[in-house]
Amino acid sequence: MLSNEVSKLEAENQKLKEIIRILCEDKPKPKDCRHCRNYIQYYCRDMHGNFHTIYAGHCICRVPARKRNGKRNPAPEETCLCYEEKG
């Protein structure tokens, strides 16, 4: 009896995971640096050895910053003409 309930819960869990996957696929990501292939996020390490993202990074796009109307060290919510979505 318990195994039947577990099987039902596992089947429901799989259905819910599929629904979540479908909903997340349709939602477009914002075109900002944090989702760009050319953006390298900066991290810092705390005293316990854990890494945390910080509010900075840099762009590795080959176009100079002055020509792409961007910044050399953009903040994660910024974007420029060289935006390419991460694959």
Side-chain angles (χ1 to χ4, degrees), residues 43-60:
Y43 297 88
C44 68
R45 188 183 302 181
D46 63 12
M47 62 183 171
H48 302 290
N50 300 320
F51 286 96
H52 300 281
T53 58
I54 59 173
Y55 194 68
H58 72 271
C59 184
I60 59 170

Side-chain angles (χ1 to χ4, degrees), residues 9-27:
L9 288 173
E10 286 179 352
E12 182 183 1
N13 191 19
Q14 289 298 331
K15 290 177 186 176
L16 291 173
K17 283 182 180 180
E18 182 64 23
I19 290 170
I20 289 172
R21 187 187 63 78
I22 291 170
L23 290 174
C24 289
E25 280 180 359
D26 295 340
K27 184 179 177 186

Side-chain angles (χ1 to χ4, degrees), residues 2-14:
L2 183 62
S3 63
N4 290 337
E5 291 179 23
V6 170
S7 298
K8 289 178 184 178
L9 288 173
E10 286 179 352
E12 182 183 1
N13 191 19
Q14 289 298 331

Side-chain angles (χ1 to χ4, degrees), residues 70-85:
K71 295 181 179 178
R72 184 178 307 273
N73 295 318
E77 82 280 351
E78 294 179 14
T79 189
C80 71
L81 300 174
C82 295
Y83 176 81
E84 293 179 38
E85 189 171 347

